[in-house]
Amino acid sequence: MIGKNLSIMHPRPSSIVAALYTLRDLNVDVAILHGPPGCSFKHARLLEEDGIRVVTTALDENGFVFGGRQELSSLLVKVNEMFKPKLIGVVGTCASMIIGEELREPVEDANLDVPVIEVEVHAGYPDNTKGVLITLESAFEVGVIGKEELERQKVLLREATLVEKRHGAASKEYLEPSRGDVKYKVAEKVVRLLQEGKKGITIMNAKKETGYMFADVSAAVNEVALALGKEGNVVNMANIDDSLGLPRVRHHAKCITADLQERGITVHEVIGGMDEYPVTGEKVGELIKQKYSDYDFAIITGVPHAIPMEALEGMEIISVTNGPRQVLPLKEMGHQHVIVEIDLHPKTLGVNHIVESEFGATLREVAKDVLGR
């Protein structure tokens, strides 16, 4: 019956794109999309801003019928000659997977002396984390990551999927996109709370490179608190453990930590690595219960819906997300203020330093008005 099995109606990230980003986190030099030239075009272009080359076998209608083994094998050889990569990824697409194209055979035909991570994936999986998992399993097979990291990633992927289904973009049949609350009004609220001597916690629970902008929110809160003479009223938590995660993820954590230190901002509690956003909630809850239960408000950035509400009991909650479809679920959880950093992701690809956020900039300007500067 039509409509009987509908669960999600709004567009969701695909497993193919998830595979591409995972190859990026593994520091692959070149990713080859085996499929039509337009497949995942936007993300492919964005990833090139992040230092990874993305090329395509550009299958046409003839390729859809007869396959593209020769095209892929030839492209592997050409890519190896042109870019001298140390690590290559090959990603399937809906077109190549539907016709049953094997990736192993053309890779063997090319006979390169460079490791190749083969990702036989299409966009038809219900959970986009499947693309990450297939990539990591292939990376393990060619010796790029070890068994321990693979198992760790499996746990994180399972939890990430559950977080999205509980309170995220996969929680409802359809979620209307929203820009959330007006940033200026929320910034006024934060300044007022600090002026009144209220005690606040910044919790950066960011997903990988998005941390470059979410960290700016924490920085802005601390700058404003300092300007108001209330710096002792702010405690900072962040998932910036640089010993955890895939190579590119650890690099992000190091860069953000260095930038915060340079700005004189103390991260009082490191709550995990930058790929551990789905599992940090429990640690945040324990820390608040043990040390910060009398705090008045929390400003949570990144993946706020991964922090359980019971951990924040009694606090006024201000959330900053980059997902327009995340506003309603957060409001329904009980977050009083939810704002969206539009275009965050394109602005945080290919950078190595903290990027100014709209909310951070707004907060700084509101504080200037209040202080008459």
Side-chain angles (χ1 to χ4, degrees), residues 110-146:
N111 193 28
L112 306 181
D113 56 357
V114 176
V116 179
I117 300 173
E118 303 155 13
V119 190
E120 298 205 354
V121 66
H122 53 71
Y125 295 104
D127 301 321
N128 63 65
T129 48
K130 184 71 175 177
V132 181
L133 181 60
I134 296 172
T135 307
L136 293 171
E137 287 175 337
S138 181
F140 169 68
E141 287 176 7
V142 296
V144 174
I145 62 170

Side-chain angles (χ1 to χ4, degrees), residues 29-270:
D29 301 293
V30 184
I32 299 175
L33 271 167
H34 186 36
C39 182
S40 305
F41 165 71
K42 180 179 177 182
H43 288 281
R45 189 170 61 180
L46 285 173
L47 281 168
E48 290 202 302
E49 297 294 322
D50 213 12
I52 176 174
R53 297 181 189 277
V54 183
V55 299
T56 173
T57 51
L59 287 184
D60 57 13
E61 292 171 319
N62 188 60
F64 293 172
V65 177
F66 298 106
R69 175 173 175 170
Q70 181 59 49
E71 286 81 357
L72 178 53
S73 177
S74 298
L75 186 58
L76 278 161
V77 173
K78 189 174 183 68
V79 157
N80 195 38
E81 292 174 351
M82 286 183 68
F83 304 123
K84 312 296 184 197
K86 295 178 181 176
L87 184 61
I88 298 174
V90 179
V91 181
T93 63
C94 296
S96 57
M97 293 296 102
I98 285 173
I99 63 173
E101 191 90 315
E102 299 285 344
L103 300 182
R104 177 63 54 86
E105 292 172 347
V107 169
E108 289 177 348
D109 291 345
N111 193 28
L112 306 181
D113 56 357
V114 176
V116 179
I117 300 173
E118 303 155 13
V119 190
E120 298 205 354
V121 66
H122 53 71
Y125 295 104
D127 301 321
N128 63 65
T129 48
K130 184 71 175 177
V132 181
L133 181 60
I134 296 172
T135 307
L136 293 171
E137 287 175 337
S138 181
F140 169 68
E141 287 176 7
V142 296
V144 174
I145 62 170
K147 185 69 174 177
E148 185 178 349
E149 181 62 22
L150 176 61
E151 295 304 319
R152 175 180 169 275
Q153 292 288 337
K154 285 181 178 177
V155 172
L156 295 178
L157 291 169
R158 184 166 57 248
E159 292 301 318
T161 300
L162 291 174
V163 164
E164 289 308 304
K165 289 183 176 177
R166 278 197 296 264
H167 298 294
S171 61
K172 290 182 182 297
E173 181 181 89
Y174 182 75
L175 282 165
E176 190 77 31
S178 168
R179 298 296 178 97
D181 297 316
V182 176
K183 293 182 178 67
Y184 185 83
K185 293 292 184 184
V186 181
E188 282 186 325
K189 179 70 179 179
V190 173
V191 171
R192 193 159 55 246
L193 286 168
L194 289 169
Q195 277 183 305
E196 292 170 354
K198 303 292 186 185
K199 295 193 290 186
I201 308 172
T202 71
I203 305 172
M204 189 186 93
N205 190 38
K207 182 178 181 180
K208 305 177 184 179
E209 66 273 12
T210 64
Y212 285 114
M213 187 175 285
F214 288 127
D216 181 64
V217 176
S218 298
V221 174
N222 281 266
E223 290 166 21
V224 171
L226 179 63
L228 294 171
K230 305 291 185 182
E231 63 271 25
N233 285 17
V234 177
V235 161
N236 304 302
M237 300 183 186
N239 60 329
I240 51 172
D241 188 333
D242 62 15
S243 68
L244 297 170
L246 302 180
R248 187 70 65 100
V249 175
R250 296 198 301 271
H251 174 72
H252 296 326
K254 286 178 183 173
C255 291
I256 291 171
T257 299
D259 274 7
L260 289 173
Q261 288 175 345
E262 189 174 330
R263 297 181 186 205
I265 295 168
T266 300
V267 176
H268 303 86
E269 310 287 357
V270 175

